[in-house]
Amino acid sequence: LSFPEAATLKPACCGTTLPRSPCSSLQFTLLLIRGCHTAAIFSPQSLSLSAYSSSPLTRARSGNPEHELNERLKHLYPAVNEEETPLPRSWSPKDKYSYIGLSQNNLRVHYKGHGKNHKDAASVRATHPIPAACGIYYFEVKIVSKGRDGYMGIGLSAQGVNMNRLPGWDKHSYGYHGDDGHSFCSSGTGQPYGPTFTTGDVIGCCVNLINNTCFYTKNGISLGRVLISFYTLYQPNLYPTVGLQTPGEIVDANFGQQPFVFDIEDYMSEWRAKIHGMIARFPIGERLGEWQVVLQNMVSSYLVHHGYCATATAFARATETLIQEDQTSIKNRQRIQKLVLAGRVGEAIEATQQLYPTLLEHNPNLLFMLKCRQFVEMVNGTDSEVCCLSVRSPKSQDSYPGSPGLTPRHAAGNAHLHAAGADSPTCSNGVTPPAKSKSHGFTGGVKYASVSSSSASASSSTSSSPSSVNYSESNSSDSTKSQPHSANSTQETSDSEMDVEAEHYTNGVVEGSSARIMNGTYKHEEILQPDDNSIGNGVTNDSCSNGRQLCGGNQAATERMIQFGRELQMLNEQLCREYGKNTTHKKMLQDAFSLLAYSDPWNCPVGQQLDPTQRESLCSALNSAILVSQNLPKQPPLMLALGQATECVQLMARVRSGSCSFARVDNFLH
Amino acid sequence: MACLLEAPLRISVLSEVTATSRHYVDRLFDPDPQKVLQGVIDMKNAVIGNNKQKANLIVLGAVPRLLYLLQQSSSSPELRTECAVVLGSLAMGTENNIKSLVDCHIIPALLQGLLCPDLIFIEACLRCLRTVFISPVTPVQLLYTDPTVIPHLMSLLSRSQRTQEYITQIFSHCCKTPEHQTVLFSHGAIQNIAPLLIYHSYKVRMQALKCFSVLAYENTQVSMTLVNVLVEGELLSQVFVRMMQRDQPIEMQLTAAKCLTYMCRAGAIRTDDSCVVLKVRLSADLFTLIIVGASLSNVAPSSPTQALPCLVRMCSKEHLLEERVEGAETLAYLMEPDVELQRIASTTDHLVAMLADYFKYPSSVSAINDIKRLDHDLKHAHELRQAAFKLYASLGSNDEDIRKKITETENMMDRIVSGLSESSIKVRLAAVRCLHSLSRSVQQLRTSFHDHAVWKPLMKLLQNAPDEVLVMASSTLCNLLLEFSPSKEPILESGVIELLCGLTQSDSPALRVNGIWALMNMAFQADQKVKVEIVRSLGTEQLFRLLSDPDSNVLMKTLGLLRNLLSTRTHIDQIMSSHGKQIMQAVTLILEAEHSIEVKEQTLCILANIADGNAAKELIMTNDDMLQKIKHYMGHSNVKLQLAATFCISNLIWNEEDVQAVVNSDCAHKGSQERQDKLREMGFVDVLHKLTQASDPNLCDRAKTAMQQYLA
């Protein structure tokens, strides 16, 4: 795959957030689109799991074991969404036989039965089963004391397997036993497997959900694959399990509380490399050049979609591709977007009405959202209607205080997402769930599903971002048509079109993402129209909150704002009459109006709305609506592909395909 | 770097040489340099990937002309470069091409070319040199004939990525002997190549790594230096460890593991180092240490990862046959001297069972399905088998449990037995090594060795084999001849004595030792008949020659043989009656000469045995000189010698009470009385008295029993 050097494109490219390795990620996403999702897996270049690179873990402050555990688990199993499938962290005080005693935060297990014969065996399972999204799961058990006879078994079992037994004796249960070193696979007779183990030894159990195998370790040495076919691993959810049989036996579990003796990360890195190799070598099977054309078109359409006019032209020239949309149209869109992003929503509405006369008429929801935003911007003092009345220069209220370019901000956002550990929705550079608060935003399928089902609550803290509701589990797995995106997004026509393209993965598409990228346009001054210069350039920073005043502190402006609020209220009522009650609108309006209730709207519970980043989703919605009105796709194919890829990987986790853990889209986007 | 150009080869016009090929060569002689250049470029395009064309051009004498053009300073840089490129292309062909090129003295010419300042030209020369040197038909010595070459190559290393790649590749292929290692080492190979290990290009990294593996192989000096080398603040061993991580390419993992193995075997890294066995994370403590400012080198020897687990992984089925061979051989080498490593390896990833797969090539499936695969399998089958045998040998060399595990592996003994008679000498050698390793187990000797009649192929192997096989085979035989071995009888009957006696006359000390060792084992508690046969077959002359053997092991085992021969009274008397004089002479010589304590002790034990004979006693009693010597050793500072000497005296003064003695009790009693008197006269009683006060309980007991004889 050759790809023209970016050098030729540089002049206009400065603000873009194209993936640094467009070829590989594009190839990946396209592979997914072509329906080869099951095999496609990723290698994260960012995660080199060496002994050294793992050091951040070990370096973690030992002061807080809980924090350390969370960090380590997150590092080991980044693909696991713990809200959906929590990881085992201790033994379950409920799921155990009565002869088992637990202590030390349910990590230490001791035997308290008679231990006369095998009928006195007792087991305990971990609190949770091993999530498939782990890909490779590992835990260790240290033999604190072998007790009388050392009849100890370390292994796995499914829920419901008799706990009055050692792991391995029954169906759906597997174990490595210390007294004879045999491995038991759902059978009362073990097979010679490894050495015996006793006091002081550390025994590990590793489950590989990619190839459905299992192996044990002793003191950090891998003892080799368990010989019995482990196809049953695929079926029930298996729990880490330990069984004891004679008095005095004590073992301590390590589910990640401490660094493991066995180098599991090295083992994981091997599989990651394998899976990466699989993706890299995946046969494309197309005629020469065809693939490249597809990739070029994707890049080109992406650039056009977001209005990177000069870049798109340069790219088209270099790759000899055609741009579907004409230059003026792109520039118009760009101008409107710029206005929205600058907070000059009123002007944006005007410009839209001028350039696309029927657009907002046909999209009353969008119009309402824009107006709501306009109100918020008035409070902010950035909308031109109040701006011109304000004694302060519009420059002083720059829309992006402290964030001159997009890329750094984006990176920060990503880092934040990583830290929060829920990666599923962050498939692209841009899923920017508007609410960046930790309580919200990084939840993945389930959470979003619930959001969309009760859209009233969707905007509780994110009133200005209807597009945040695009993740819906139910949608992704079955028909999309029945599911409205969200009450107030501008869907109908666009939805159906998108559905077709995305092969029922519509909801993987990340709308919000585009907005962030929009920021890049700030830099493109040569395409700013002269009268726009003031907004684009205003980098005079005035971010300290005590300098901010309602509507820029101007009395006339405040009156205008009140006036506008009334109009907005009327518009809402009108819409209610025409289209019926709309709770999302109501909520949005409420939130916007509540800003006035606080003396310092920037530091109030609903102050989030004033954040310039909130403009992005709206901007993207408007852009999409314009594109749809021009019979152009609502989403750039690149984003569709990304969304689909993300959704596929999530789907893999749900169907217990372990390789998804090494096939994470965000690893490919830098 | 002078190069003599030979006149163009006389070309017999060959019918198959096409006119076009000739045309290409003719154009090289064009007076217009521009046309020559175009001609060379056209030639370059014509030969790419065309072995026939290459052969034609070589036959037509293109090489000397190209070399001439390459060396002419009047040639333009482009022309010289293109010439080097064409030569490089020709070298890419068959081995015969390389031979022809080397015969035309291409190497000195190209080496000369390296002195040119033009980098492009240098790179073309190096590429061609690389291709020539990596061929097995090129004598590597050619790199070292001119002493200025290596330093110049070192200086070129920094010029470009290509020079780095080619030069390191040349080094890694041309470092075959300790001398080569020393030359490269003394010209700063380590300092110059170490930074390349973290170079961004994989090829360069890989070639640099290979260089280190050949440099460190069995070379203590290099290995010890490597331990302390830092690459950007990181210890080299840690760089190697990083290269062994599982997400690295297999070739890199394997070669890095080799480097660590060689460093370990050369004594530069301890085998219990975590580099070798276990990957140890840089723990929190270690970090604190570093932060506190402890120098890295203080904590560093425990650099992480796992040469051993890495090598075990290389043995698994999923890897290429070549990798599995190399992995197994390296692993065998790594753990050969260390029982702890053997124990760890034996439990890692079912290694013992995994190795059984090495014997399944060509598989029955491959034979039916795929001729190409069959060919490939056949080619590697021998290598695989010998590697597996080697690894089994290494695994089982010390630990009884591991040996048991090995012999219990499917068809193991059958495989060894058939391996012993394979056509490939490498396989035979490895099989016999494996057998030797297993023969160190008493249990195996008694059971599986006997069940599978391993002695038969072993004896056959001994009939006609090169020395290295003979050494291993005879070592194994030594064990099979131990008295508790059920194979001893059948081996004896197969005429082994002659064979072993033959071995004692070998030039190789190892073979002499093994031969005499086997005889010694055979003579232990043997029948009179066997002993007589040994003495007859060996011949006294040879026996005494062995007693003056320069190799102390041979001497020890010969003494051991003598001692075994001289056991039980009748045997002693019989042998002493025929060879007494020589034996006494030899004993005297050994006691007088400079020898180790062990040798002297063994000799004194022989004396003690002689003293146990009825008639043989007199040989000592009549030899005052010998008695003085015994007395001397009784007062020696070494307890062992004292003990042996006392034992000897004790035998001499023994008051016979056994059945035989009763028959002619008179005579015997009289004899013992006489001896006691004589020894008393010589002051032995005083010495014995002193020894009863000795601190060593054994010696004390022995002296007391001897004293009691006087009282009786």
Side-chain angles (χ1 to χ4, degrees), chain B residues 464-483:
Chain B
N464 194 7
D467 273 9
E468 45 183 352
V469 177
L470 273 184
V471 171
M472 285 322 290
S474 51
S475 291
T476 316
L477 196 63
C478 288
N479 291 341
L480 283 169
L481 285 170
L482 286 167
E483 58 89 29

Side-chain angles (χ1 to χ4, degrees), chain B residues 65-355:
Chain B
R65 181 63 188 169
L66 285 168
L67 280 175
Y68 174 78
L69 293 170
L70 181 136
Q71 286 176 302
Q72 246 3 57
S73 51
S74 57
S75 305
S76 68
E78 295 82 39
L79 177 59
R80 299 175 74 183
T81 307
E82 291 299 336
C83 285
V85 171
V86 174
L87 288 167
S89 193
L90 293 177
M92 288 283 195
T94 63
E95 285 190 353
N96 278 332
N97 290 3
I98 301 252
K99 272 183 203 148
S100 318
L101 290 173
V102 173
D103 290 344
C104 291
H105 301 287
I106 187 176
I107 292 173
L110 289 169
L111 290 174
Q112 185 73 36
L114 298 181
L115 295 173
C116 170
D118 181 13
L119 182 61
I120 308 282
F121 177 58
I122 289 177
E123 286 177 352
C125 287
L126 280 174
R127 194 184 307 124
C128 184
L129 276 170
R130 184 270 319 257
T131 315
V132 173
F133 273 121
I134 62 175
S135 162
V137 298
T138 312
V140 293
Q141 200 50 44
L142 290 173
L143 186 68
Y144 302 94
T145 34
D146 182 336
T148 63
V149 168
I150 300 294
H152 186 58
L153 286 174
M154 292 290 174
S155 71
L156 287 176
L157 265 177
S158 56
R159 291 294 293 278
S160 74
Q161 183 179 324
R162 290 207 179 88
T163 61
Q164 287 167 352
E165 185 193 331
Y166 301 144
I167 291 172
T168 44
Q169 204 174 350
I170 291 171
F171 284 164
S172 61
H173 276 90
C174 292
C175 183
K176 307 247 188 217
T177 67
E179 292 76 45
H180 298 163
Q181 288 173 335
T182 308
V183 170
L184 291 174
F185 176 73
S186 58
H187 286 106
I190 293 175
Q191 290 71 19
N192 282 313
I193 299 173
L196 305 185
L197 286 173
I198 51 169
Y199 198 73
H200 60 82
S201 152
Y202 171 74
K203 278 184 182 171
V204 172
R205 281 205 311 275
M206 194 58 226
Q207 292 304 335
L209 184 60
K210 280 187 179 166
C211 271
F212 280 116
S213 83
V214 291
L215 280 170
Y217 179 64
E218 291 191 335
N219 191 317
T220 314
Q221 189 188 24
V222 171
S223 297
M224 293 310 254
T225 314
L226 286 181
V227 177
N228 296 315
V229 172
L230 288 172
V231 186
E232 295 213 334
E234 199 180 1
L235 277 174
L236 205 56
S237 53
Q238 283 170 340
V239 176
F240 291 150
V241 161
R242 204 149 27 78
M243 288 173 150
M244 281 198 305
Q245 274 165 27
R246 295 196 189 198
D247 52 354
Q248 299 294 331
I250 298 299
E251 187 191 24
M252 181 167 270
Q253 291 185 35
L254 186 54
T255 316
K258 266 187 176 177
C259 286
L260 285 172
T261 298
Y262 297 157
M263 284 164 76
C264 178
R265 281 301 304 268
I269 311 178
R270 286 164 37 166
T271 51
D272 56 356
D273 190 292
S274 54
C275 280
V276 182
V277 185
L278 251 188
K279 185 163 190 163
V280 175
R281 272 153 242 273
L282 286 179
S283 63
D285 305 13
L286 189 51
F287 264 98
T288 347
L289 268 179
I290 294 166
I291 292 158
V292 171
S295 107
L296 195 71
S297 57
N298 284 351
V299 277
S302 58
S303 56
T305 298
Q306 336 172 305
L308 189 140
C310 172
L311 289 169
V312 173
R313 276 204 307 278
M314 295 303 142
C315 299
S316 88
K317 230 178 191 168
E318 63 196 83
H319 293 118
L320 300 177
L321 301 184
E322 294 90 334
E323 291 161 356
R324 293 167 70 185
V325 169
E326 232 175 290
E329 284 182 330
T330 313
L331 182 56
Y333 182 63
L334 171 67
M335 63 189 180
E336 207 172 17
D338 191 294
V339 62
E340 208 36 58
L341 289 185
Q342 291 157 12
R343 288 197 186 117
I344 292 170
S346 73
T347 60
T348 305
D349 283 338
H350 303 303
L351 177 63
V352 175
M354 192 150 72
L355 282 177

